[in-house]
Amino acid sequence: MLISQILDDAETIRVVARSGGKARIINGARSVYSLAMEAARTGVGLAALIERKGLGETVDLDAAYKKGRLLSPINHPDPAHLHLTGTGLTHLGSAATRDSMHKKLSTDGEEQLTDSMKMFRMGLEGGKPAKGQVGVQPEWFYKGNGTMAVAPGAALMSPAFAKDAGEEPEVAGIYVIGDDGAPFRVGFTLSNEFSDHVTERVNYLFLAHSKLRNASFGPEILIGDLPADIRGASRIYRDGAVLWEKPFLSGEANMSHTIANLEHHHFKYSAFRQPGDVHVHMFGTATLSFADGITTAAGDVFEIEAGDFGLPLRNPLEIEKPVKVAVKAL
């Protein structure tokens, strides 16, 4: 089952579901967030709750997308309570891309093992622990709160000071925190973990700066288990033509960590188990246009698709105007 959110002609949020057939409005659902919290509070599975509520009129999701009426597939009434986070070096092959960005040479010219490669090897050796065991912790980063989330079809805004504006095609887990602090997974979705790879390449300690950017996810959330082998495509369009295209792989068959291990190391922090919060946690990638020498420009359109997740995720690129910030003493 896939679920999403749209704005109807009366500017009211409608929650939409489909299971291989036509998309239909879920009766009585005010938002995906309220639906997920109801499922958490009642102990009813999300799919079962949707079935109980029933489906109403059909919706043309493609038409809603073209009209700009597709919303992020989950949001929070207070954007400060939605957290955008992620993890890297989790996919087989991802180290080669990252390692080339962070390569160091010793004074005698021999290549040293980069921190990226060390962390990647840690994941290979301990990222898939036996059931009930805790594996090695992955790289982790923070992207911002709900104010940084961009709806499908809306523009990803790159700061004027950014050195790069590059896509990262990923799968993200969507979570809500129950009233007792327990995390609940709503499902999985496509995401564009938009980053500044030139800044990151300057020094690995700039990774935190490079990740504080917009992110987009959706348009639809896949309810249920994540397929083990996900095959998708990432593209950049310029002036209506494909500038760059490459397949990407995800799912645990193509990863050095289990989803459960990545979830554990995120939610082990009590700050991320605050009742009512929403989390969008991105699981990493091995495919970047930046690694192929692509430099994006304003007006380019990113497209990420994988058949299991329904509609593709599309976002144009815009560059913000420079802003001068001065701090005033009170």
Side-chain angles (χ1 to χ4, degrees), residues 84-85 141-150 155-168 192-200 206-216 282 317-320:
L84 294 171
T85 57
F141 52 82
Y142 175 72
K143 288 194 65 66
N145 59 26
T147 63
M148 302 290 276
V150 172
L156 290 163
M157 303 296 293
S158 183
F161 57 77
K163 305 298 183 183
D164 175 54
E167 86 300 330
E168 295 201 17
N192 188 341
E193 197 272 285
F194 185 61
S195 300
D196 183 342
H197 302 103
V198 172
T199 293
E200 179 186 348
F206 282 166
L207 176 72
H209 289 279
S210 75
K211 295 299 186 181
L212 286 172
R213 300 290 187 271
N214 283 166
S216 188
M282 302 169 202
L317 170 63
E318 292 186 17
I319 309 299
E320 292 179 342

Side-chain angles (χ1 to χ4, degrees), residues 236-244 294-301 317:
I236 300 175
Y237 292 91
R238 179 171 294 173
D239 299 325
V242 175
L243 172 70
W244 174 88
I294 299 297
T295 300
T296 58
D300 289 351
V301 176
L317 170 63

Side-chain angles (χ1 to χ4, degrees), residues 6-7 11 61-71 151-154:
I6 64 169
L7 276 179
E11 302 296 317
L61 283 181
D62 286 303
Y65 208 168
K66 291 175 182 176
K67 293 178 181 178
R69 291 190 171 275
L70 264 179
L71 303 174

